[in-house]
Amino acid sequence: VRLGFRALPFSVKGSAPGYESVTQSGVTADVTLSLRRLASLEVHVQNADGSPAGGAEVAITGSTLWPARRAQTNASGVTKISGLVAGHFDLRATLGQQVSETLFGYELARGAHATVTLKLGPGRMVAVVVTDDDTDHPAPVGNADVVLSEGGLSSFPIQGRTAGDGSVLLGPISAGAASVSASAD
């Protein structure tokens, strides 16, 4: 970038479709900006029988993407997630009470265009009741914030709030261990 005049420091931003934007502050002379090509993932979601899972929700998060982004598959069970910076990503798909196992640490290089497939299976719903203590007559705690995490620590925690009777239904989650925590005023 050539600045046609000299003045106080400038802030210069460069961007282009398919590339990561870059900004440089404190510019007082000629500057060179290098844009990095962004990556994309084409995600195919299948039902347990291998048929396309149209309308499934795909969640993605990773070392360069937080909080999680969500996308919905088309009638062919496909969605494209673009504008990704290189890194490692976790992916998960849900459709109603079906859920895929989480794909952990999928590596995506700078500028790569890759395809992954997630397969749905039956999910589990977890009924949680929050009470005030462990006495013989615990009282239900309404309006408590509850978080369900697969495996104890999850890229995709499921959040809910209890009803007046202290209950909330969370899920779906895949088979395996999970933990739940609750907090309330």
Side-chain angles (χ1 to χ4, degrees):
V1 173
R2 285 208 173 267
L3 300 176
F5 52 91
R6 304 283 183 220
L8 296 176
F10 289 95
S11 181
V12 179
K13 179 178 181 178
S15 62
Y19 291 85
E20 183 178 4
S21 296
V22 64
T23 302
Q24 189 166 343
S25 298
V27 175
T28 59
D30 293 347
V31 64
T32 299
L33 302 176
S34 296
L35 304 181
R36 295 187 299 179
R37 182 173 291 282
L38 295 171
S40 66
L41 268 177
E42 182 174 283
V43 183
H44 295 249
V45 180
Q46 299 175 344
N47 291 305
D49 64 4
S51 64
E57 181 181 84
V58 175
I60 182 172
T61 191
S63 59
T64 57
L65 177 63
W66 186 261
R69 273 174 46 190
R70 300 184 189 292
Q72 190 170 28
T73 61
N74 61 21
S76 299
V78 178
T79 189
K80 185 172 182 179
I81 302 169
S82 57
L84 299 172
V85 177
H88 292 84
F89 296 92
D90 297 346
L91 293 110
R92 177 179 186 259
T94 57
L95 180 61
Q97 290 192 14
Q98 297 181 86
V99 63
S100 71
E101 290 197 20
T102 301
L103 173 61
F104 291 106
Y106 185 85
E107 186 173 7
L108 193 60
R110 180 176 27 180
H113 302 287
T115 301
V116 297
T117 300
L118 301 174
K119 194 165 199 169
L120 297 172
R124 298 181 299 151
M125 301 300 288
V126 178
V128 178
V129 176
V130 178
T131 61
D132 64 352
D133 61 22
D134 291 328
T135 64
D136 292 335
H137 304 290
V141 177
N143 211 30
D145 293 312
V146 181
V147 178
L148 174 66
S149 297
E150 294 178 90
L153 182 61
S154 175
S155 300
F156 308 106
I158 300 169
Q159 301 173 331
R161 185 160 289 189
T162 59
D165 65 356
S167 69
V168 64
L169 185 64
L170 300 173
I173 61 169
S174 58
S179 64
V180 65
S181 63
S183 65
D185 290 337

